[in-house]
């Protein structure tokens, strides 16, 4: 086996973990794939003779690529999107596909990814690499061009933001499903009071419709307001199918088999505290929703 074949084999052995790093950094499945591919190109052009730990080297390369992509993304957004729901990882309601398990380790729900998207790029990198992948601050410091102490402070600031903003879902998936099923039944039946009963009083709904006309995407707060929104779309509830969305109970709505929305529910203490909806037609088309045909 020549050196190029050996490098390719080692890279493929790390691809799944590298994609998991990139997904947490970017919140986009397609951009995560692009970042991993760029890491391969950099590996193929590099002299790795002095690299003692190739997996760690690749992780830092992917981190650096993602940091550049985040900074570029910010510079392109003159007006930040008011509502943005990251790409969901959608699987059958009865279990996560093996190739998706690495993407969803550490309970990387959409609610967490939404919070990560509010962090500064360097903060996000420090938090993701250290808190989720145990990368030493010495290595992170070289990526963000700061001291290890400064890198530690970046992660600490990010951690405080995450802990104060990202709700933690109930660990019992069956309990999550009971609550979401009750929400769906109330929506189908047009039962406003039953909807309010399963919603936390301060529930937050985010709906991302992409580039559709301004004002369609929205953020709605409060049980009565969210229940009213659910009733507006109750005619589509008949087409909703249970699914796992980033490892938590969710729904995929697909009239005539064409995806209309993906919904992730964060359930805490028996009530829904967050609903994240992706209804961007362009991004929905890129998702792997083959299980809808089953």
């Amino acid at each position: 086996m020549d050196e190029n074949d050996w490098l390719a084999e080692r890279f493929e052995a790390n691809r799944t973990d590298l994609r998991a790093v990139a997904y947490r950094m970017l919140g986009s499945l397609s951009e995560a794939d692009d970042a991993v591919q760029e890491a391969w190109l950099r590996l193929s052009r590099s002299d790795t003779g002095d690299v003692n730990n190739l997996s760690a080297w690749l992780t830092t390369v992917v981190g650096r690529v993602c940091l550049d992509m985040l900074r570029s993304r910010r510079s392109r957004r003159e007006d930040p999107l008011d509502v943005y729901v990251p790409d969901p990882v959608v699987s059958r309601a009865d279990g996560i596909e093996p190739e998706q398990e690495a993407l969803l380790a550490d309970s990387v729900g959409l609610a967490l990814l939404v919070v990560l998207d509010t962090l500064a790029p360097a903060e996000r990198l420090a938090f993701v690499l250290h808190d989720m992948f145990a990368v030493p601050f010495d290595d992170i410091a070289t990526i963000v061009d700061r001291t290890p102490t400064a890198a530690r402070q970046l992660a600490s600031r990010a951690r405080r933001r995450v802990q104060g903003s990202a709700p933690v879902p109930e660990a019992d998936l069956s309990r999550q499903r009971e609550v979401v099923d009750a929400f769906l039944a109330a929506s189908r039946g047009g039962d406003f009071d039953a909807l309010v009963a399963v919603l936390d009083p301060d529930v937050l709904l985010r709906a991302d419709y992409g580039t559709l006309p301004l004002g369609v995407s929205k953020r709605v707060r409060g049980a009565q307001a969210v229940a009213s929104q659910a009733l507006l779309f109750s005619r589509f509830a008949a087409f909703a199918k249970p699914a796992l969305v980033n490892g938590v109970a969710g729904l995929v709505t697909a009239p005539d088999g064409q995806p209309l929305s993906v919904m992730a529910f964060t359930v805490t203490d028996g009530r829904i505290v967050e609903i994240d909806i992706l209804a961007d037609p362009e991004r929905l088309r890129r998702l792997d929703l083959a299980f809808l045909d089953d």
Side-chain angles (χ1 to χ4, degrees):
M1 180 182 295
D2 65 23
E3 183 178 357
N4 286 337
D5 290 340
W6 180 84
L7 282 176
E9 185 177 284
R10 292 291 307 278
F11 183 83
E12 288 304 319
N14 285 276
R15 180 184 290 275
T16 299
D17 291 339
L18 296 176
R19 190 168 184 251
V21 172
Y23 178 57
R24 286 157 179 74
M25 282 290 300
L26 301 168
S28 165
L29 294 168
S30 61
E31 289 184 357
D33 288 334
D34 290 344
V36 172
Q37 182 61 24
E38 176 62 24
W40 162 248
L41 293 176
R42 295 190 185 190
L43 173 64
S44 64
R45 296 194 297 259
S46 299
D47 181 2
T48 57
D50 295 330
V51 175
N52 295 320
N53 187 334
L54 186 62
S55 295
W57 186 88
L58 286 169
T59 298
T60 58
V61 169
V62 166
R64 186 172 286 110
V65 171
C66 289
L67 182 62
D68 291 342
M69 293 173 74
L70 286 174
R71 287 170 171 167
S72 176
R73 181 193 290 175
R74 284 210 163 194
S75 68
R76 292 196 308 268
R77 288 185 187 173
E78 295 181 3
D79 297 311
L81 297 175
D82 183 50
V83 179
Y84 178 76
V85 174
D87 287 356
V89 178
V90 187
S91 52
R92 303 169 62 94
D94 56 3
I96 298 172
E97 299 296 329
E99 62 271 18
Q100 296 174 333
E101 289 181 355
L103 283 176
L104 300 178
D106 305 313
S107 300
V108 185
L110 287 186
L112 173 58
L113 289 174
V114 167
V115 176
L116 292 181
D117 205 47
T118 67
L119 301 176
E123 290 176 346
R124 185 168 186 168
L125 179 135
F127 176 78
V128 168
L129 290 190
H130 181 266
D131 285 39
M132 295 184 174
F133 295 95
V135 175
F137 285 118
D138 286 350
D139 294 344
I140 294 171
T142 63
I143 301 174
V144 295
D145 195 24
R146 304 192 189 190
T147 66
T149 299
R152 185 185 298 274
Q153 292 170 344
L154 288 171
S156 179
R157 285 202 300 268
R159 195 177 304 117
R160 288 194 297 270
R161 292 275 298 278
V162 169
Q163 291 173 345
S165 303
V168 179
E170 288 188 0
D172 187 344
L173 185 57
S174 64
R175 179 58 181 149
Q176 291 181 32
R177 177 54 60 194
E178 287 176 9
V179 175
V180 173
D181 286 349
F183 173 91
L184 180 58
S187 182
R188 285 173 172 169
D191 191 333
F192 181 83
D193 290 337
L195 280 168
V196 171
V198 298
L199 297 171
D200 183 85
D202 200 36
V203 62
L204 173 63
L205 177 147
R206 301 183 192 87
D208 180 352
Y209 286 83
T211 58
L212 290 178
L214 187 65
V216 175
S217 295
K218 61 187 65 180
R219 182 183 286 105
V220 180
R221 173 80 73 175
Q224 296 204 2
V226 171
S228 297
Q229 288 294 315
L231 291 182
L232 288 176
F233 295 95
S234 60
R235 68 186 185 277
F236 296 112
F239 303 102
K241 289 187 175 184
L244 288 178
V245 182
N246 283 60
V248 301
L251 298 170
V252 176
T253 303
D256 300 320
Q258 299 301 311
L260 182 69
S261 67
V262 171
M263 305 174 68
F265 296 81
T266 304
V267 177
T268 301
D269 296 330
R271 290 192 174 184
I272 297 167
V273 297
E274 280 198 12
I275 304 174
D276 290 292
I277 304 174
L278 179 64
D280 180 344
E282 181 179 347
R283 290 169 62 203
L284 285 172
R285 283 194 293 269
R286 296 200 295 261
L287 297 180
D288 181 8
L289 301 175
F291 68 90
L292 290 174
D293 299 327
D294 294 348

